[in-house]
Amino acid sequence: MRHFDEIFAIAADRHGGPAALDGKLTKPDPQITALPEDRWLSVMTRCVFNAGFNWKVIAAKWDGFERAFDGFDVGRNAFMDDAQLDAHLRNTEIVRNGAKIQSVRDNAAFLMELRDAGGAGKVLGGWPSQDYIGLLEMLKTRGSRLGAATGQYAMRFAGRDAFILSTDVTARLVAEGVIDKPATSKRALRAVQEAFNHWAAQSGRSLSEISQVLAYSV
């Protein structure tokens, strides 16, 4: 496994030099623990709907989603009744996918449950980056439709420190001998986490930055 500086140099060489590459990197939001729970629900919902759909279609309709789901108020959506669900299925302002619409209710209920542990900001935003795969497992088991890439994108788009196992990131991890195929098993994900933790210790960079550098290196 190469030193992170070597991987950064490969990526920088392909993207205009170190300064230009640094300028491309999105960093985690230092105020992520203060993100309101309605914004967590909003980003979760957007990533759930992005999965399997054209992202530009979802983006074009997003104002309609915000209106339809009351600004993603967690309490209102957690208690969505069947009549409201049926109304959403008739609403042309949103993408009318029944299973994904129901996930809004389920994830609102999930976020309400997190209040007992200090709230979404504390639990999701404050989860240790050194155990990011533990957070992903929790999202998969307790959230709705938040497994695999959807949970990873939701955490990145919310602004928390997060890696995304995209095709390019996976290719770099394979090239470095961390994994030999896309990481889906717990064993493979532990190997990925260990590699990211190692590179973080070498570089002082976040998971988000390391993930992007790996992608840019391919």
Side-chain angles (χ1 to χ4, degrees):
M1 197 168 81
R2 289 178 177 86
H3 192 285
F4 182 77
D5 288 348
E6 295 180 65
I7 299 173
F8 185 88
I10 294 170
D13 186 57
R14 296 177 176 181
H15 291 276
L21 177 58
D22 258 321
K24 293 175 182 287
L25 302 182
T26 301
K27 297 177 174 59
D29 181 357
Q31 303 299 320
I32 187 61
T33 56
L35 187 69
E37 61 182 5
D38 63 282
R39 293 303 88 198
W40 286 104
L41 183 57
S42 175
V43 75
M44 287 175 176
T45 301
R46 188 160 186 164
C47 290
V48 166
F49 275 87
N50 278 343
F53 285 101
N54 186 311
W55 288 21
K56 291 182 179 179
V57 172
I58 304 303
K61 287 180 171 285
W62 197 248
D63 287 345
F65 275 87
E66 289 281 350
R67 286 190 293 271
F69 293 105
D70 299 306
F72 291 99
D73 179 273
V74 168
R76 291 181 183 179
N77 285 288
F79 294 101
M80 186 191 307
D81 59 26
D82 289 343
Q84 290 170 304
L85 183 59
D86 288 342
H88 288 314
L89 290 170
R90 298 190 301 270
N91 187 351
T92 58
E93 285 197 311
I94 66 173
V95 173
R96 293 168 290 173
N97 180 292
K100 294 190 176 191
I101 290 170
Q102 187 164 331
S103 76
V104 180
R105 178 170 64 186
D106 295 340
N107 284 325
F110 162 53
L111 291 172
M112 288 188 73
E113 291 172 3
L114 295 184
R115 292 175 180 178
D116 291 336
K122 179 180 179 181
V123 177
L124 304 179
W127 195 286
S129 294
Q130 295 81 1
D131 181 41
Y132 176 61
I133 61 170
L135 172 59
L136 296 179
E137 179 64 20
M138 191 269 280
L139 291 171
K140 177 182 176 181
T141 56
R142 295 182 60 186
S144 176
R145 307 179 76 89
L146 293 176
T150 302
Q152 296 170 31
Y153 277 105
M155 294 302 97
R156 171 72 65 77
F157 291 171
R160 78 143 282 138
D161 192 19
F163 59 68
I164 295 175
L165 298 179
S166 66
T167 300
D168 287 345
V169 172
T170 296
R172 174 51 63 190
L173 290 169
V174 170
E176 298 305 314
V178 176
I179 51 178
D180 58 7
K181 60 183 179 181
T184 55
S185 70
K186 290 184 179 180
R187 181 178 181 179
L189 287 169
R190 282 196 298 271
V192 169
Q193 181 75 69
E194 289 170 4
F196 270 87
N197 290 350
H198 182 70
W199 285 321
Q202 289 180 339
S203 66
R205 291 180 180 269
S206 65
L207 300 183
S208 298
E209 293 171 280
I210 293 168
S211 178
Q212 292 167 84
V213 170
L214 298 190
Y216 283 129
S217 74
V218 174

